[in-house]
Each structure stands twice: as C-alpha cells, then as structure tokens.
Amino acid sequence: MLYPKIGIRPTIDGRWGGVRESLEKQTMGLAVAAKKLMETLRYPDGTPVQVVISPCTIGGGAEAAKCEEYFSTQNVTATLTVTPCWCYGMETFDMNPHTIKAVWGFNGTERPGAVYLAAVLAAYAQKGLPAFSIYGHDVQDLTDTEIPQDVAEKILRFAKGAVAVGWMKNKAYVNIGGVAMGIMGAYCDTNVFQKYFGIRAEWVDMTEILRRITLGIYDHEEYEKALAWIKENCPEGFDKNAGLNLPEIITKSKVVPPDKDWEFIAKFSLIVRDILYGNPKLDEMGWHEEALGKNAVAGGFQGQRQWTDWLPNGDFTESIMASTFDWNGPKMPTPFATENDTLNGASMMLATLISNTAPCFHDVRTYWSPEAVKRVTGYEVTGAAEGGFIHLINSGATALDGTAAPVNEKGEHCHKPFWEMKDEDIQACLKATDWCRADYQYFRGGGFSSHFRTQAEIPVTMLRISIVEGIGPTIQIAEGQTVVLPDEVHKKLDQRTDPTWPTTWFAPRLTGEGAFKDVYSVMANWSANHGVTVYGHIGAELITLASMLRIPVTMHNVPEDKVFRPHCWAAFGTQDTQAADYAACKHYGSLYK
C-alpha cells in the first residue's frame, strides 16, 4: 500500500555568512523531534505513521522547490513547516494547493520564530491556502529540544486529521444495495463523497451475494472455520417469535430454514468482506474479477426490505465487520452501515480513522428524562445521568466492542485498537453478547441480532454527518459517557422497545448553553435518526478534521481552548466561532474541487 505521509519542512533564515550556519542544527533538530512525535501515531491498519523530512533546510525558493520535488515522490498528504527563527515568508512557504498545511513557530526570544509564523500565516491567508498555526504558550530557551505539551497536542491533532484525509482519499464507499425504507441518509450523494472526502461511490446489487453463494464464490476452508467459530462463540438468546401465531404472509416468506440461518450468514459475511476488499484466494479459484474487490474504506448494506423480507438479515455481518475481531482474531474494523445509511457510514469512517477503535452504529432512539425514569421505574438517576440520558439502540448490528468488555492495564473497561486486542478481550466481548433470533414481523427472513448492553461507564463521542440544502454536509459532535443502570431499571426501560437489540445508555456532557443546555436539547437538535459512538473524547480531533474537509460543525461540546482550526478561520470572526466556521467552509469550499 502507498501510505499517505506527512512531510516536514524545516525553514531557516536564508542569510549565509554566519546566520544560517548557526541555525542549521537547531532547525533540523525541531524537524527530527516533530518526526519522532508523529511517528508514535498509527495508521488504521496498525502500522506506524510515516513521516519524511525535506532533504535540506529551506532558506529560499530554490530549496522550497527541491523539498516539494522530493515530497511529490513520497505521497505527502500534509506538511508541517518548523522553524526557530525568522525566514523569508513567500520564498519558503508551501505553495502546493493540494497539501494540508501547518506551521510550528518556536517560541523563543533569541530568534523571532513567532514573527515568521505570523508573516507566513498572513501569506497563506492572502493566497487562499488555509494553514494551522502552532505556537507554544511559554517561552523556551534556545537550547531546549523538548516539544512542549501544548505544542505536541496540536501537532498530533493536526497529524491525526491529515492521516485520516490521506487514508480515505481515492478509496471507495461501497453501497451493497440501495436505499432502505426511504431513509434519506441512504441516498448516496456521489458529489459529496468525491468533493469532500476524495472517495468514489460504488454500488453492488444485493443479488451479487446470492450469486456468489449459489456459485460457491468464497473461500470454502475459511467458511468452515467461520461457521465453527460462530457455533462455539455466538450463543443464541431468546426467540421473540416463540408461541406467536404469525400470519401466512410471514411464515411463507422465510425461504432459508431456521436451522440453516448461521450457514447462510457465515457465507454472507465472507462474501461482503470480499466485495469490499477483494481476496486472492478467489483468484486461485478462477474468479479473477471478484478477487480484486472494490478498494473500500467503508460501506453499507441495504437489507430492509427487499432482502430481509425473505432472507436472513445482515445484523451479524454488519456487527462483525465493524468489530475489532472475527474468527481470524484481531482485525482492523470496517465502518459498515446498517440500512446503508451512507451518511452514518461516513460518520463511522471519520470516527474510526481518528480513534482507531470500532465504530458503533445506533438508532438515536429515546430521550429519558429523570422524571420519566422515576415514573416508570421508581429509580432516581444520579451522577452523569442526573439530567437524563439517550437510549442508543440498533437492530443487532452494533460492533461487539460496544459491550465495553475489554479491560486496559489499569483495570478499566474500554475499547481498544485492534492491535491491542488480546484473546481475553475478544472472549469478554463474546461472553457479554448473545444472538437473538430476529423478530419475524420485522425481518420475515429471520437471522440473528447481537444482544448486549454496554456494561461499564466509559467516555465516548457521538457524531453524525448530515447534508443540508444550501449548506452541504455538516457534522454534529457530542462528547459524553455511557451510563450503567441497575438491572431492574435497565430491564424495564429496555423492554419498552425491541429487547433483542444491543443497548447503550448515553449521557452527553452538558455546557448549559445552546444545544447542550440539557440532554433534551441534544436529542431535539440531533439531525437524523442515526448516530455513531466511538471510544474516548475525540471531539477536538473531529473538529480539526472537519475543518480540513471544509465541513462546518453544527453543534459540539468541546472546550473552546481545545478547538484547533486553520488560522485564517479567525479572519471570518473571533467572537462567534461557529458562524466563522460556517463562513470559512463556505468560502473555501470542499477540499477536492
């Protein structure tokens, strides 16, 4: 794979004869320190992020061109310019319109790194090239080689966003099927995916899955392995259909016998993965075209209703695709949307690329006020849930990491990147989950839904991308935590909806203002019926990424001092930063014109 890289541009005072020579070691030292810092990050496949440094310090236009020539051979997505001193702004700046840019001006009194920073950022603004400004809060000594914490935080935030942009570029969002039940988010807007994410949209009819099952276009050895793993690790839960006198239209619609559901689902899961990523085993079997895959970064499955009205649902497949493991052990999670809600699939994609953890797909189902909880259960909520909470639930397709069963070295429940998932973490997720037979009144073809509840209070971030006429794509971000309710309280609330589905109780962090005035306001301002949660508080990183993509943030509860956008956003206003964000995104337009 050709990995997206970050290029470091060490700029320097161009005056030879004592000035430049005295600065070479320090300037290159800043570049090396920044490189080591960013190389602590990882790509979504677990390999360390690759960072390259210009072959020379940059004191003028000739050296800037030499740096750019080198970067053009390295698939550099973003550049970080570093300097401890004054440099010639227009002669040394990164004029490539296709790279994402940041500048770190060393805060020291001996040399005016801050002066260059201000001068070059003015040049970027005037040239219409947004750039992020990185400047330490405290003055450092000239000989100090340490990167201050506030500087490191901004460099890493910039790098995470830049890697996400580079990783998704030129890949595909694969729509398996079309639109589910009239859900607007499932109408894939090809222009949005191309212009904002650099992604091509692809479609595969759901009949392709049936063709491959019928003709045996899958790895038969792996099928046996997957089916054995499912039978050993996926116990069946209760059957909601037992004892029901179902109408004939339902009973005659199930064409796969109930005792054959898992066999069908195992083949289905292998085939969906192969459609997205390809499989060299298929080439050995003579299926050359199918072996290629679609170069996917994310995807979704329509399911309802043309599939689920007569065939086993996609819940297991969607769940295991998004999880950090399967029958082969730990694996990179795939953002894969239920009901082919492509905008939620894109939300899953951004969340996973930033956090490197599994994305959990949810219906944003119900706001439970403290008063309503007490009326129904007699329980008085406290702690993070004292203002109420939101019921996040989905038709059995949520990543199993959503159980919060894994435990870190401190003994705390969490989600983990796949490369940190141990066998005991995987087993904990599996033991926390059973698989309930699908409700035949909704899914005539049967299948199974993952059934669990998030078992620990952990930090999560909820997000959603939506498209608004006249604006384009927007993003909503809500940091908060999961809530654990007493068993009897959970049972009474959970059984008011479909009890065969996985549940997460979510309490957003409140600010007392705007959409975060209270939990009801968060629910009332949410833009669609779906949302995504991912582990940790990554709202600041998502805001930085959104600004790179030119997607305005509709609502967020990230502390203002953590918001990091290109410096020129301030030119659109500093008092109302949300309005400035909208104005800047509109002015600069999508990242890929």
Side-chain angles (χ1 to χ4, degrees), residues 7-9 52 54 67-76 79:
I8 300 181
R9 307 175 71 257
V52 295
S54 168
C67 171
E68 176 57 33
E69 182 180 0
Y70 171 63
F71 284 178
S72 69
T73 69
Q74 297 297 308
N75 194 33
V76 167
T79 64

Side-chain angles (χ1 to χ4, degrees), residues 281-329:
K281 180 71 174 181
L282 303 185
D283 198 21
E284 297 173 17
M285 297 167 62
W287 301 99
H288 308 297
E289 181 180 354
E290 290 82 354
L292 296 174
K294 297 292 184 182
N295 192 36
V297 66
F301 177 66
Q302 175 195 329
Q304 300 186 68
R305 286 181 45 206
Q306 286 75 16
W307 181 276
T308 57
D309 271 8
W310 68 299
L311 294 169
N313 65 22
D315 287 4
F316 174 84
T317 302
E318 292 158 10
S319 177
I320 210 69
M321 290 285 285
S323 297
T324 53
F325 60 89
D326 63 11
W327 45 87
N328 292 315

Side-chain angles (χ1 to χ4, degrees), residues 7-16 19-21 23-31 52-72 76 78-96 99 102-104 116 120 124:
I8 300 181
R9 307 175 71 257
T11 57
I12 198 166
D13 192 321
R15 288 172 283 202
W16 289 92
V19 176
R20 176 164 180 163
E21 294 90 332
L23 295 166
E24 286 281 351
K25 184 177 179 180
Q26 185 189 9
T27 302
M28 194 56 78
L30 290 182
V52 295
I53 300 176
S54 168
C56 60
T57 54
I58 302 167
E63 290 155 328
K66 184 177 181 180
C67 171
E68 176 57 33
E69 182 180 0
Y70 171 63
F71 284 178
S72 69
V76 167
T79 64
L80 172 65
T81 298
V82 301
T83 188
C85 60
W86 167 254
C87 316
Y88 303 152
M90 288 293 292
E91 295 181 26
T92 60
F93 86 138
D94 172 12
M95 61 186 291
N96 182 343
T99 54
V103 184
W104 173 25
Y116 169 71
V120 78
Y124 280 128

Side-chain angles (χ1 to χ4, degrees), residues 384 402 404 454-460 480-484 504-507 533:
T454 302
Q455 62 184 233
E457 296 191 341
I458 60 172
V460 295
Q481 72 169 67
T482 58
V483 172
V484 175
T504 298
W505 306 109
F506 171 66
T533 60

